[in-house]
């Protein structure tokens, strides 16, 4: 990987443009399929595409300056469409979030409030998880328990048990379960659940609420253990080691401990950040919505580099 990136840096090759969706792509995720890493993308056109990561890297390695780089998807999935009363079909719902279970299912949270499940090997639809009253913003997979967790515009986080045919075992009203701290004013924004994060052991889930709060939920105890007020709606969360990390509609990376106590506030370049990821070595990456900037932050909270997209 390093050799490929180094070679392309000398050639001034930036990236492969994958022309897959007929419209915006809303979500990206990695899965493993038959021992190969696959990059998934979900978009406004109601489709999920998968690209073999090894093929992408080989294309970069073999490319010459000025080449038009192209890789075809190895996986194509399409959302189902509801039938209307007088014939015809509803429009294809957008795919807002995509993830996978280790057992081989691809999970997508969609704009019609449905969580869709496909078999990774065959690409065949397996389940449609229905219960949300509005669009689904985010999904995460709890592989050890064969569960899917989803967050919606309707303000709930739902837990679905695939071992029981996809039945909903819990529907948590995150805002009402996350009261404002004494002395706080009423929320200025609606209480959607816009982001979820699982810890690596799959014992905890953090739910970011549009009403400016984060709920820490123990999956083993089946209860909320901390309600954390935030100064802006959270837009991305990560549970890393013993810390909860958050970015949102403000130029900061905020870190708390698992009890909800504030540990550190780090300035970020983006005024509003939607992307957050942590490398196993401890480096944190924050991606913003405007200006095309990406901050790389050390484990102690200092900014190492700011990358700018062209």
């Amino acid at each position: 990987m390093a050799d490929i990136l180094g070679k392309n840096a000398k050639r001034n090759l930036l990236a492969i443009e994958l022309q897959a969706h007929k419209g915006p792509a809303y979500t990206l995720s990695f899965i493993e399929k038959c021992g190969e890493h696959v990059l998934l993308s979900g978009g406004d056109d109601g489709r999920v595409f998968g690209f073999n990561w090894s093929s992408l890297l080989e294309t970069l390695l073999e490319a010459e300056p000025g080449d038009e780089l192209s890789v075809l998807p190895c996986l194509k999935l399409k959302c189902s469409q509801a039938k209307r009363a007088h014939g015809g079909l509803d429009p294809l719902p957008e795919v807002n979030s995509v993830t996978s279970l280790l057992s081989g299912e691809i999970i997508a949270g969609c704009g019609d409030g449905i969580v869709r499940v496909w078999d990774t090997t065959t690409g065949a639809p397996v389940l449609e998880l229905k219960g949300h009253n509005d669009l689904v913003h985010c999904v995460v997979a709890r592989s050890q328990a064969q569960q899917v967790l989803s967050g919606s515009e309707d303000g709930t986080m739902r837990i679905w048990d695939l071992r029981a045919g996809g039945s909903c075992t819990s529907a948590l009203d995150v805002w009402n379960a996350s009261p404002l701290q004494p002395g706080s004013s009423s929320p200025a924004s609606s209480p959607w659940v816009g982001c979820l994060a699982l810890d690596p052991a799959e014992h905890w889930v953090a739910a970011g609420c549009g009403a400016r709060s984060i709920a820490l939920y123990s999956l083993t105890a089946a209860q909320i253990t901390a309600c954390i007020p935030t100064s802006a709606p959270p837009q991305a969360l990560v549970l890393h080691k013993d810390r909860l990390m958050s970015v949102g509609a403000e130029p900061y990376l905020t870190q708390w401990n698992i009890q909800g106590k504030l540990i550190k506030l780090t300035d970020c370049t983006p005024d509003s950040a939607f992307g957050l990821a942590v490398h196993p070595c401890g480096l944190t990456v924050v991606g913003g919505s405007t200006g095309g900037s990406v901050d790389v932050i050390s484990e102690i909270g200092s900014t190492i580099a700011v990358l700018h997209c062209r």
Side-chain angles (χ1 to χ4, degrees):
M1 177 71 175
D3 291 340
I4 293 171
L5 293 178
K7 184 176 181 179
N8 284 333
K10 293 177 182 178
R11 293 177 171 180
N12 199 31
L13 294 176
L14 297 178
I16 300 175
E17 291 189 3
L18 305 174
Q19 298 295 330
H21 296 285
K22 297 178 181 178
Y26 291 149
T27 180
L28 296 171
S29 177
F30 274 107
I31 68 167
E32 188 170 315
K33 179 184 177 184
C34 301
E36 294 280 350
H37 292 293
V38 176
L39 174 65
L40 295 180
S41 67
D44 185 60
D45 56 1
R47 288 171 167 81
V48 175
F49 291 100
F51 299 89
N52 184 282
W53 190 245
S54 295
S55 297
L56 292 176
L57 296 183
E58 288 172 7
T59 301
L60 282 173
L61 182 62
E62 297 170 0
E64 297 295 334
D67 285 354
E68 293 186 4
L69 307 182
S70 178
V71 174
L72 296 175
C74 63
L75 182 68
K76 298 180 181 180
L77 305 175
K78 181 182 176 182
C79 293
S80 60
Q81 296 167 270
K83 293 182 179 180
R84 293 179 173 175
H86 301 289
L89 299 172
D90 282 343
L92 280 167
E94 74 272 14
V95 176
N96 296 312
S97 181
V98 63
T99 187
S100 68
L101 286 160
L102 293 177
S103 55
E105 293 86 4
I106 293 175
I107 318 296
C110 303
D112 57 359
I114 298 175
V115 177
R116 289 174 168 81
V117 183
W118 291 274
D119 181 86
T120 308
T121 304
T122 65
V126 177
L127 289 170
E128 290 190 349
L129 311 179
K130 300 179 180 180
H132 285 296
N133 297 320
D134 211 327
L135 66 90
V136 177
H137 284 292
C138 48
V139 289
V140 293
R142 192 184 183 205
S143 292
Q144 295 176 12
Q146 280 293 102
Q147 292 177 334
V148 175
L149 287 75
S150 57
S152 170
E153 184 75 14
D154 65 12
T156 65
M157 178 187 76
R158 289 179 177 264
I159 301 176
W160 312 86
D161 189 349
L162 300 192
R163 296 171 301 184
S167 62
C168 180
T169 59
S170 178
L172 180 68
D173 187 331
V174 176
W175 170 244
N176 288 328
S178 308
L180 290 167
Q181 299 298 310
S184 297
S185 58
S186 298
S189 53
S190 60
W192 70 87
V193 178
C195 48
L196 297 171
L198 274 174
D199 74 312
E202 300 184 350
H203 295 157
W204 298 88
V205 62
C209 182
R212 302 180 183 180
S213 68
I214 299 171
L216 271 172
Y217 184 83
S218 169
L219 291 162
T220 53
Q223 65 180 16
I224 288 180
T225 60
C227 302
I228 306 169
T230 59
S231 55
Q235 294 171 166
L237 302 171
V238 168
L239 282 165
H240 177 66
K241 295 182 178 178
D242 58 348
R243 294 191 178 189
L244 166 64
M245 310 171 78
S246 168
V247 294
E250 57 183 354
Y252 306 110
L253 167 67
T254 310
Q255 300 184 52
W256 295 271
N257 64 18
I258 204 69
Q259 288 77 38
K261 181 180 178 181
L262 179 65
I263 296 174
K264 192 171 185 62
L265 193 68
T266 303
D267 290 334
C268 294
T269 304
D271 291 330
S272 181
F274 286 90
L276 178 63
V278 180
H279 190 272
C281 72
L283 289 179
T284 301
V285 178
V286 177
S289 61
T290 58
S293 62
V294 177
D295 287 10
V296 182
I297 300 169
S298 72
E299 193 166 18
I300 63 174
S302 58
T303 301
I304 297 175
V306 178
L307 312 176
H308 295 280
C309 302
R310 288 197 263 176

